[in-house]
Every structure is written in structure tokens, then in C-alpha cells.
């Protein structure tokens, strides 16, 4: 080691003198976390109909000219005006400074995200999906781990420990005592216990007392395809206690249905109605990420709605509701929702007032990772058996795609939706399809990526 | 969330059915980890004389021309021949592909590092220092956290949990059962308990059974400036059980003295003698990172020695022993040793057979981070009082410096040392100083960075 001082040794050497708090095991229904314990489980996750679409490099927009690093005057955050064109992805894009590089070169303080998610040693879910992309996109990340597992639980076996709300509270107390609870963002994904969800609600309230403009991006992980992953009381707690705190909500179709009372969302119009119901509970921005609409089985439809004013010069000229259609292919991946939520957070920061562009860049980064992952895993992308080898092949290729995460290729574009006067939505004239179908994709080819 | 499948929910939903292992508190001397517990401590670390020097952008070498990403044929790992010149750091260097970008564009499998170190939610020590730099340098990282603390222990207070050897063994068993123990590298830093050290020794043996060419980079964190951080039995265990497993050892002056039997290392010659003693215990490469030699109090001296053959076309023409002098300034930082070990691992991978260039790039990246950190924290760099505010200001600016980590400015160069026939060392004729002093720095200005 170098001579510069490190912090941990002395502390741990002295830790016998420090108060230790015995861990507790809770057994109440819905709060089954085993504090600090180690356990093993062997089972398979159910087969989910998993859908993705991959991007190919889009056309010929040239990268913006380089800006000298360290130039004297601060560089403003990227405006939408010069980012409306898709840029070629890949390492060659380093030829110009993207918004991330410009932001880092500006000398302005970086945003700081407290991200409460799981940790897996090998592979990518939870914070392993969120932290690195946020960092390469120029955000400071303070990760709190809700579990430490050897690998994600889709593998034949995993081992590790689950942490509970008390441990989160202890970490938060340490941060607060040192005046480190000064975050611009809170990000949460899967939360396994009521104890942890309650602790997050309390933490969010404390964070808002320190940072009134805190943005809480919440991925309300409840289930998928008609089935709850979590205890019903957890879903109820999300609706009652978390949604009023959330700024940005990123549910899937089933989660949006669950949080709005269970009615099926079968059209873009219904999705926007659901967004309005969700807005009424708290979040100023809602992105329903992956709808499967009866009218369009080969497409994933995304609907986004915001109550924040949008830039007139932005991608959609100030529209506050939009949809995107993404080609569906069947493939199995893990962690894509976690990655999308992190990317959305980052791009909403870089492009405030232009939700459409933020969504397009988040989807673009995700699609780039999926394309590289599909390319790498070959036939394993479609194998239903979840052997360890297959799971390992399907792990997201985040490290390989860091250039594309910073400068995402944009294949899919948002289309504006008009809100109806009665509060529901209609597709905007001229670009929208018939009611019940998703919006058109503008100006991009719809290449179907072969999954093998 | 998106529709693609995630792994954790079902597992956690079912976790009540899984066996849980009660945490145990150990009280044996030197093994004071409180398994899974939460504790609080409030104290100050002693003032250490902390030294650093910062780099300024070096001269005008032009970046190498870009290589098309995704080109059909694999790109070989960077050879030393085209990396012997320092390149301008900063975002403008994105104009050419650096060795990292070339490696990622090559399509070859990335190396995979298992890194066992601490986790702090806020700030940078342990794995928070190691994981992100390794990732931006194009390595896959599987981090195992030995603790989860709110912040490093130099702050007035910290909270969190310490994990023990049993938890490491459980995670390793999960990885092995899924055939995921296929790493190219093992990296360890501060290890707080004998339990954990023993588990790491066992883990390393298992890893070598799966990967005979495993490179184990060990930072034997024992103490500094004449004082042990850890229990004596831990130091003994390093010497007896860890050093025979280690490939690359990165001790500081005190640690090298401790591991070689306690004799003072007061000269470059003595340092190379110490390296030879350490080689005899196992590591093929030893880098003594930060010596303070009586003959040169304003300089930090680094001495590196390897028994691996070095490229004749490399930085030092095949020399296997070298030293570097770095300007000393007084400043307080935390985590610099952890960062250096990670950077050295990465650059030794990218430049096999050219230890000098790897050292120069690792030091260059570290110096870039320190320069940016000093620039940011201003007068707090020299304040002895460790208030929370001061500690927070001094946190390393890793995210801001990711461009420089990938393409480090090189200010300090290695000079070759000749090994004496009796096994000790002498400075190479023509570049070496008188015996007892450090080697000259070649071709670089020696700017003293003002710490405020």
C-alpha cells in the first residue's frame, strides 16, 4: 500500500470495543429477512415470457465537436437542442464529448444517488446493474446493499446473506451523523421485506428534510405477467407509503395495474389513464416500461407521462405524454429493469425538461447492452433450461458496453400523445395510430435482431 | 421495471423456507469480527504523515489513431511499443482509442477479478476504490464485501456490519457450485480478522485449482510508519499462509520490513534486497509502494521487482528491477493504496511483460485522481482535524477522473536498477544515483503541486 492513510484498519482493530448490536430474525409474515444470516436455496425461477429488442447502430449523425476539457468556464448541462439526433455508438464516439463528458468537464458538483438494491458477487442484477452505469454517466453513487448473494437467484443455487431494515437504518444514521445524507437522488428497486420498505420510507423522509429537491426514482418491483413476486402487504405498502414519496415511478404493466387497483391496461389510452392515477398518488413522472398490448403482440409498448413542464425545444416540443414501440424478441435476461431505471435516472438528470430524450437514451443504452449480450450468448439466449452455464452466458455485458452507455445509439423514438380533456389520452394527430395500438416509431428502421 | 425477468424476487419471497445460519460473535484475540452485527464507533484516526504528489498534464504526445469498433479481426492486447509515450490525459484523449478501449473492442474475453475488500456507502476506500477503476479499465469485477459501513472510519463516526470468514466461504461455495469460480485475478486489501484471512487462503487455493494461471494481487495491509494496524498473529499469518499464494505483492515500506523480518529498509539497495526476500516467499512481482528514505525526505520512492521475463522492447528494455521517485507533498487522503493496487492489477494485465509501464500508468492514474482531489478540497487537504466535512471533501474524485484513469497522464517514469551478483541491487549505471538514494526520474518535470 502507499503511505497515504487508509481508514479501516484502526477501526476494525478497535471494533471489539465498539458496541455491537445483535442481529434479529423476524418471522412476521411478509418480513422474512434473516438478518445477517447465510442460507442456500435451490430452485428455478418460472419461465417468463421475456421480451427484448436490440438496436443496431443507427444512421449517420455525426458526433458533436469536442469541447476542450477543463476549459475555464463551466459548461452548462447538455441542452436538448444539440442532442436530438441519434449518434453512432461505440468507441469511435469518443471523438466528441457527449453530455456526460461535458458535464464532468464542467467542474460542477456531480449529482449523488443513494441506491438501495441487492448485491451479487457474480453477474448483474440490482446494484450491480445500477452502480456502474450511473458512475460512467457521471453520477456519484452511494450504494446500500440489501443482500449479498453469490449470484442472482435464477441460477440453480445461490448463497449469501439478507440484510434487513435495521441495518439500513444503522447505515442511514451513520450517514446522517456525518452530514452525508445530502443526496440529489434516491433509487430503489426490489425490496424484499416490509421491514426494509418501511425503513426506506423513513429514510426518504429524512433525506427530503436535508434535500428538499430530492428526486426519488422508484422501481416498484411487485411482479410480472399477472403474478405477484412479493407479499400482498408489500404491494399495499407501496401504494400507501412509497408512492406519495416517489418522484419517478417505473412500473411494468402488471405493477401499474396492481398499483392502480387491478384493472387491466390493454391500450395506450388505458396506460395514460393509469399514469394519471399514479400521478395522483405522488410521482410527477411515470414510465410504464413494458406493456404487451393485445393489438400488437410483437411489440413492447412504453408509455411515459410527466407533470413537470417540458422544454418547448425538446424532442417532442413540450409534450408531457409519449409512447414508444420496441420490437419484441424472445430472450431471457436478468437485471434489465434495474439497468433501465438507473439509465432513466441518469438521462433525466442530463436532460431535464426532455423526458422523451431521456427515455430514448435509456432505452438506447439498454438495447445496446442487450444486443451485445445476445451476440455473446448465442443460442443460450433462448434456452429455457436455466443451467449455471446458460445463466452465466446471459449476464448483461455492461463493462463491454460502457462506451454505448455513455453515448447510446438511438433506434427507437418516442411519439407524443395528446391528453384528452377528460384526463385520458389520445395519440397525437399525425403520428399516432388508431386508439388501442401503440404510437408509431419515428424515423428509425425496425430491424429485428436475430437472437442467435 | 421492464418485462425481462429478474432473479431476486422469487428467491426472497421464498427465503423463509431456506435454512438460515445464526450469526456468531467471535471474541478470540485478533478475530473480533462481529458477524452480521451492527455497531457504532466514534474516534479519530491518528495523524499520519501523508504524502502525495500530483501530476500535471504531460507533453504533447498525440493519441494513437482510432480503431474502428467491432472490426472483424480481434485486436491484440496493447503492446508496449505503442504505449511508451505519455499521452495527454482528460476527456480530449477520447479522440483516440487507448489500450483499454482497444481491449474492449477486440471481442476477447475480459479478465475477471474477484476482489475481497470493504464496502462503504459514502466515499472511497476498499472495493469502492477498486471496483470502478477496474471496470473502466475493462475488467469484469466480482466484489465480495468484507464489511458494509456507512463511511470510512476516519470520519467522527461510522455504522455498519462486519462480515466474517464463514460468510466469505458461503459466497465462494455458491460461486463454485455454479462454476463461477473461473477468475483470472484475485485481489485483496485490508483483511480485519484471522477468520477472513484463513478463508481467503482457502479460497485462493480453490481458485487456483480451477484457474492454474490465477494472478493473486495482494496488498498486505498491516500498518504504516512503524506501527501495526492489525494483530501480530495476522501479520504472521500473512507471512506463513498468504505470501506463498500471492503473485503480486504491494507492501508499503513498513509492511515490507515486517514481512521480511523487521529490518529497516533505508535505501533503494535495501529495498531490492527486501524484494528478493519476498520473492523467495512466493510473489513473482513485488512493488514497495511508498518508501521514505533518509537521504531524500522530500521524495517518495517506489521500488518494483519481478521474476517474470520482461519484454526487450518494453519501457526499460527487459529490466526486472526499477525504481521511481515521486514528489512528496503533505496531504491527507484515504483509499489511495487500495486504488493503486487496483490500477496496478489492471495495467499489468494490459501491459504484460512491461512492469515499468504498468507502474507508470498506475501511478499516473493515482496522481491524476489526487491532483483533482486536492484541487477540489483546497485547504482541507492539510487540515489535521478530521471533521465530517473535511473527510467528505477529501474523498477521492474517482468518478470525475474516469477519463484519466483510462488514459493516465504520465509524469513519473521508472528507472532501471541492476541486480548485483550477490542478489542485492545497484542502480543502473548512467541513471542511478549514489547508493542509498533513489533513482533519478527520467525526462519529466518535477512540478510541486500546491496542496491548497
Amino acid at each position: 500500500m502507499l503511505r497515504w492513510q487508509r481508514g479501516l484498519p484502526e477501526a476494525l482493530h478497535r471494533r471489539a470495543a465498539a458496541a455491537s448490536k445483535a442481529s434479529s430474525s423476524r418471522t412476521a409474515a411478509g418480513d422474512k429477512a434473516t438478518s445477517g444470516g447465510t442460507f442456500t436455496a435451490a430452485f428455478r425461477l418460472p419461465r417468463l415470457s421475456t421480451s427484448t429488442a436490440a438496436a443496431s447502430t443507427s444512421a449517420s449523425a455525426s458526433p458533436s465537436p469536442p469541447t476542450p476539457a477543463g476549459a475555464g468556464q463551466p459548461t452548462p448541462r447538455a441542452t436538448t437542442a444539440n442532442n436530438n439526433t441519434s449518434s453512432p455508438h461505440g468507441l469511435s464516439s469518443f471523438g466528441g464529448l457527449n453530455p456526460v463528458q461535458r458535464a464532468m468537464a464542467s467542474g460542477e458538483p456531480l449529482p449523488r444517488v443513494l441506491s438501495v438494491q441487492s448485491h451479487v458477487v457474480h453477474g448483474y442484477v440490482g446494484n450491480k446493474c445500477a452502480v456502474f452505469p450511473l458512475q460512467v454517466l457521471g453520477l456519484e453513487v452511494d450504494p446500500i446493499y440489501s443482500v449479498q448473494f453469490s449470484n442472482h437467484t435464477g441460477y440453480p443455487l445461490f448463497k449469501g446473506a439478507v440484510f434487513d431494515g435495521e441495518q439500513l437504518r444503522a447505515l442511514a444514521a451513520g450517514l446522517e451523523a456525518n452530514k452525508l445524507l445530502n443526496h440529489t437522488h434516491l433509487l430503489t428497486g426490489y425490496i424484499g421485506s416490509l421491514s426494509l420498505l418501511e425503513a426506506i420510507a423513513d429514510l426518504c423522509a429524512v433525506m427530503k428534510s436535508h434535500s428538499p429537491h430530492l428526486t426519488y426514482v422508484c422501481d416498484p418491483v411487485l411482479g410480472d405477467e399477472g403474478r405477484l413476486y412479493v407479499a400482498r402487504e408489500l404491494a399495499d405498502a407501496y401504494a400507501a407509503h412509497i408512492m406519495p414519496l416517489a418522484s419517478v415511478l417505473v412500473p411494468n404493466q402488471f405493477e401499474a395495474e396492481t398499483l392502480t387497483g387491478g384493472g387491466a391496461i390493454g391500450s395506450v389510452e388505458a396506460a395514460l389513464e393509469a399514469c394519471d392515477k399514479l400521478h395522483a398518488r405522488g410521482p410527477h413522472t411515470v414510465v410504464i416500461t413494458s406493456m404487451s398490448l393485445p393489438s400488437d403482440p410483437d411489440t413492447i409498448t412504453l408509455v411515459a407521462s410527466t407533470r413537470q413542464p417540458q422544454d418547448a425545444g425538446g424532442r417532442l416540443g413540450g409534450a408531457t405524454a409519449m409512447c414508444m414501440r420496441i420490437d419484441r424478441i424472445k430472450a431471457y435476461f436478468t437485471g434489465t429493469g434495474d439497468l433501465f431505471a438507473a439509465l432513466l435516472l441518469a438521462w433525466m438528470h442530463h436532460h431535464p425538461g426532455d423526458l422523451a430524450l431521456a427515455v430514448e437514451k435509456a432505452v438506447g443504452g439498454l438495447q445496446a447492452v442487450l444486443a451485445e449480450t445476445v451476440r455473446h450468448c448465442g443460442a443460450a439466449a433462448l434456452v429455457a433450461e436455466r443451467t449455471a452455464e446458460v445463466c452465466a452466458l446471459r449476464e448483461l455485458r455492461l463493462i463491454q458496453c460502457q462506451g454505448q452507455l455513455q453515448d447510446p445509439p438511438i433506434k427507437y423514438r418516442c411519439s407524443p400523445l395528446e391528453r384528452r380533456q377528460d384526463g385520458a389520452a389520445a395519440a397525437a394527430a399525425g403520428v399516432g395510430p388508431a386508439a388501442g395500438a401503440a404510437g408509431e416509431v419515428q424515423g428509425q428502421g425496425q430491424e429485428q435482431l436475430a437472437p442467435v
Side-chain angles (χ1 to χ4, degrees), chain A residues 268 272 303-304 315-324 356 360 413-419 425-433 438-442:
Chain A
V268 169
L272 208 45
V303 166
R315 261 282 298 136
L316 296 183
T320 59
M322 60 207 70
C323 69
M324 177 189 280
E360 288 167 2
R413 289 291 192 187
C414 287
S415 302
L417 297 174
E418 279 183 3
R419 291 181 197 277
V431 289
E440 286 293 314
V441 175
Q442 293 182 317

Side-chain angles (χ1 to χ4, degrees), chain A residues 372-397:
Chain A
E372 167 61 17
T373 306
V374 166
R375 191 197 64 72
H376 172 71
C377 64
L382 283 179
V383 173
E385 287 77 18
R386 291 182 156 258
T387 64
E389 290 84 351
V390 165
C391 287
L393 276 170
R394 287 175 183 159
E395 294 286 1
L396 299 181
R397 307 269 284 175

Side-chain angles (χ1 to χ4, degrees), chain A residues 14-22:
Chain A
R14 293 195 188 185
R15 66 180 175 273
S20 74
K21 182 175 177 308

Side-chain angles (χ1 to χ4, degrees), chain A residues 93-407:
Chain A
S93 67
F94 283 111
L97 291 188
N98 59 43
V100 178
Q101 294 159 347
R102 281 198 296 272
M104 285 193 287
S106 74
E108 292 181 7
L110 300 185
R112 182 176 289 275
V113 184
L114 185 70
S115 178
V116 184
Q117 299 192 58
S118 57
H119 172 62
V120 290
V121 176
H122 178 99
Y124 295 95
V125 295
N127 261 330
K128 268 293 266 307
C129 274
V131 175
F132 178 67
L134 287 168
Q135 290 175 322
V136 297
L137 288 173
L139 292 88
E140 288 275 4
V141 189
D142 291 355
I144 289 182
Y145 299 116
S146 55
V147 310
Q148 178 165 222
F149 285 171
S150 54
N151 43 264
H152 75 64
T153 60
Y155 283 81
L157 175 148
F158 69 93
K159 295 195 178 193
V162 177
F163 312 130
D164 68 4
E166 286 310 305
Q167 289 167 303
L168 175 66
R169 290 178 198 275
L171 293 171
L175 294 173
E176 188 176 24
N178 288 315
K179 301 176 189 171
L180 300 175
L181 220 49
N182 54 357
H183 299 81
T184 55
H185 295 76
L186 171 65
L187 173 62
T188 64
Y190 173 70
I191 299 168
S193 74
L194 201 59
S195 151
L196 194 57
L197 196 65
E198 289 169 347
I200 286 171
D202 292 345
L203 171 60
C204 184
V206 174
M207 292 174 77
K208 288 190 174 186
S209 75
H210 295 290
S211 308
H213 299 295
L214 179 81
T215 297
Y216 173 17
V217 177
C218 175
D219 182 357
V221 182
L222 299 173
D224 202 359
E225 306 222 322
R227 200 173 60 80
L228 278 176
Y229 287 145
V230 302
R232 165 61 61 178
E233 65 178 356
L234 213 68
D236 296 341
Y238 264 104
H241 303 302
I242 297 295
M243 284 181 55
L245 298 167
S247 317
V248 179
L249 198 73
V250 195
N252 64 22
Q253 185 172 14
F254 173 72
E255 289 155 353
E257 290 166 353
T258 302
L259 291 172
T260 54
I265 300 176
S267 66
V268 169
E269 197 168 61
L272 208 45
E273 286 176 19
C275 287
D276 283 331
K277 288 183 189 173
L278 295 171
H279 286 313
R281 302 283 195 88
H284 60 63
T285 300
V286 176
V287 180
I288 305 179
T289 53
S290 54
M291 292 189 296
S292 188
L293 300 181
S295 59
D296 201 354
D298 294 330
T299 299
I300 292 171
T301 303
L302 176 153
V303 166
S305 168
T306 182
R307 292 196 166 174
Q308 291 195 313
Q310 299 292 290
D311 294 342
R315 261 282 298 136
L316 296 183
T320 59
M322 60 207 70
C323 69
M324 177 189 280
R325 294 174 65 195
I326 305 166
D327 297 337
R328 173 194 299 276
I329 64 166
K330 282 199 176 289
Y332 298 83
F333 294 108
T334 306
T336 48
D338 306 327
L339 174 58
F340 178 77
L343 294 175
L344 183 67
L345 185 161
W347 288 118
M348 285 183 70
H349 166 76
H350 288 299
H351 299 295
D354 197 345
L355 179 61
L357 186 58
V359 166
E360 288 167 2
K361 289 196 172 185
V363 170
L366 174 61
Q367 294 288 323
V369 170
L370 291 178
E372 167 61 17
T373 306
V374 166
R375 191 197 64 72
H376 172 71
C377 64
L382 283 179
V383 173
E385 287 77 18
R386 291 182 156 258
T387 64
E389 290 84 351
V390 165
C391 287
L393 276 170
R394 287 175 183 159
E395 294 286 1
L396 299 181
R397 307 269 284 175
L398 289 188
I399 307 303
Q400 293 85 348
C401 294
Q402 55 191 280
Q404 292 98 315
L405 290 175
Q406 282 197 335
D407 199 2

